[in-house]
């Protein structure tokens, strides 16, 4: 029996007889020599086969294999700086595990719809492989960062009895003859958790019936939500910037190869150092008004003070900064019911959005929560929310209320920015959007 080795672990096995179990990525032949590019999920190796060594029959079988056939290749491993990946296998045998005829995704260009319809296969392609490895690193980085600071992971439900982020994007579902809604956020439950553990985070899929077809909206996306009791808005922004700085530097450190494959401008990520600038909503409005006067003919930059920012507005605001930027003190009318009002101006909330640079827009939304029972009850009524469904949430103010703050980080938007890719649909294995439920 030969030793089965992953390509990623090759450096420990140079000179040994090994076997690699994988799929045929590509092949070319030159007379009596066949070069097979084999990928095993952890890397790609060039396996060199000579007709003389393996015999006519096996040679011809291998030569006839289609792209993505599964196979186990055995042979001697040697270092070769000219070979892709830096190693080469000198093949002594091949076991064909499964054939693959007319694999739909060839190296030629395909349209996005076609690739999305074949997402289950597209995942094997180099770029998609790199993006999802970065996703893995980003998730591990966020967890390690928060765990390292003593946070407890507290999971929150997906079936919920009420809206938390506005009723227009709720997915309703039948729940034993009653109505349930898919969670838009885990925040309200994380607040309960923070009162039990001090600092917690929830991390899971969240759902919004977004009828928009932008490159920044999924209907199912992953949100990471830390929540800390006795924390205020300032502490919240500090936590957010520290976390982003930490994870970006981890990805630079551990996923350099993937970033290179994606042709990411590394310099832009190396800039991501705290402190991130903080500017008020009002200041952003000044920037937008100035921009409008300087670009009178540009469409789509119209803006009324008091409105929420659109994608184009966010890009304009972020344009002059080389790192993420935190916009705080939004008008209360455009934000959620639970945000605490600013003491110096009741019309503003103690909330912030983090905007990524390079036009990627909002990646984080957070706030200090209303901690006063009577005020919160008033807000629930003002927003026409069903008070009954929020009794448990009000209990958090009835029994030992404290200041509390947290934020929600959109995982796919963050990955899209770190990877420098255009559309967030590639930042999740199986994206769900308005017109995309398959595969
Ligand atoms: O700003 P949002 O709506 O904040 C909340 O849900 C708070 N309850 C979070 C909290 O304070 N614990 O959403 C947070 C983030 C956004 O900044 C964005 O990155 C992402 O979630 N997000 C989406 N990502 C992809 N597709 C969508 N449709 C998204 N909607 C929000
Ligand atoms: Mg938001």
């Amino acid at each position: 029996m030969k030793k089965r080795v992953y390509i990623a672990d090759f450096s420990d096995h140079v000179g040994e007889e090994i076997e690699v179990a994988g799929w045929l990525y590509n092949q070319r032949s030159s007379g009596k020599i066949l070069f097979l590019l084999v990928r095993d999920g952890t890397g790609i190796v060039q396996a060199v086969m000579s007709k003389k060594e393996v015999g006519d029959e096996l040679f011809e079988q291998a030569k006839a294999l289609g792209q993505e056939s599964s196979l186990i290749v055995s042979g001697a491993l040697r270092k070769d700086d000219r070979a892709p990946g830096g190693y080469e296998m000198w093949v002594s045998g091949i076991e064909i595990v499964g054939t693959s005829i007319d694999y739909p995704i060839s190296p030629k260009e395909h349209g996005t719809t076609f690739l999305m319809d074949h997402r289950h296969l597209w995942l094997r392609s180099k770029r998609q492989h790199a993006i999802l490895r970065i996703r893995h690193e980003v998730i591990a980085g966020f967890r390690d960062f928060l765990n390292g600071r003593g946070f407890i992971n507290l999971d929150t439900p997906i079936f919920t009895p009420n809206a938390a982020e506005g009723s227009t994007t709720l997915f309703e579902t039948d729940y034993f003859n009653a109505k349930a809604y898919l969670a838009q956020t885990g925040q309200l439950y994380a607040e309960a958790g923070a009162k039990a553990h001090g600092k917690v985070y929830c991390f899971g899929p969240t759902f919004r019936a977004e009828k928009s077809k932008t490159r920044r909206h999924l209907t199912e996306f992953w949100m990471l939500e830390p929540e800390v009791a006795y924390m205020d808005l300032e502490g919240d922004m500090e936590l957010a910037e520290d976390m982003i700085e930490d994870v970006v530097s981890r990805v630079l450190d551990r996923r350099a190869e993937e970033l290179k494959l994606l042709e990411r401008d590394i310099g832009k990520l190396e800039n991501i150092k705290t402190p991130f600038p903080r500017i008020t909503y009002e200041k952003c409005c000044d920037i937008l008004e100035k921009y409008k006067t300087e670009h009178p003919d540009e469409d789509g930059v119209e803006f009324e003070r008091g409105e929420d920012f659109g994608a184009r507005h966010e890009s304009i605001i972020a344009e002059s900064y080389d790192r993420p930027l935190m916009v705080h003190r939004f008008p209360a009318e455009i934000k959620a019911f639970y945000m605490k009002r600013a003491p110096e101006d009741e019309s503003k909330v103690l909330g912030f959005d983090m905007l990524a640079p390079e036009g990627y827009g909002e990646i984080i939304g957070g706030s200090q929560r209303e901690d006063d029972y009577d005020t919160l009850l008033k807000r629930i009524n003002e927003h026409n929310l069903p008070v009954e469904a929020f009794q448990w949430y009000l209990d958090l103010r009835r029994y030992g209320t404290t200041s509390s703050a947290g934020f929600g980080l959109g995982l796919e938007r963050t990955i899209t920015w770190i990877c420098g890719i255009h559309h967030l649909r590639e930042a999740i294995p199986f994206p769900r959007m308005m017109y995309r439920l398959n595969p």
Side-chain angles (χ1 to χ4, degrees), residues 140-242:
F142 284 138
R143 284 190 180 278
D144 284 352
F145 174 85
L146 292 170
N147 295 343
R149 290 203 175 189
F151 280 69
I152 293 293
N153 180 193
L154 186 127
D155 298 313
T156 56
I158 286 172
F159 285 131
T160 58
N162 52 263
E165 295 294 333
S167 54
T168 57
T169 62
L170 272 181
F171 275 115
E172 191 178 301
T173 171
D174 180 56
Y175 196 78
F176 305 111
N177 300 323
K179 273 184 198 166
Y181 306 97
L182 303 186
Q184 299 166 303
T185 168
Q187 179 201 319
L188 308 194
Y189 298 97
E191 283 185 46
K195 298 282 196 280
H197 294 276
K199 36 190 175 181
V200 299
Y201 64 93
C202 58
F203 178 49
T206 43
F207 304 86
R208 296 197 190 174
E210 302 277 6
K211 294 201 183 70
S212 43
K213 295 189 291 176
T214 77
R215 62 193 182 96
R216 324 206 287 191
H217 287 96
L218 294 167
T219 52
E220 176 177 327
F221 62 97
W222 283 65
M223 211 200 295
L224 175 72
E225 297 180 88
E227 184 75 27
V228 183
Y230 289 107
M231 191 165 74
D232 62 9
L233 178 65
E234 232 354 273
D236 204 23
M237 292 196 280
E238 275 167 29
L239 178 67
E241 66 181 355
D242 286 352

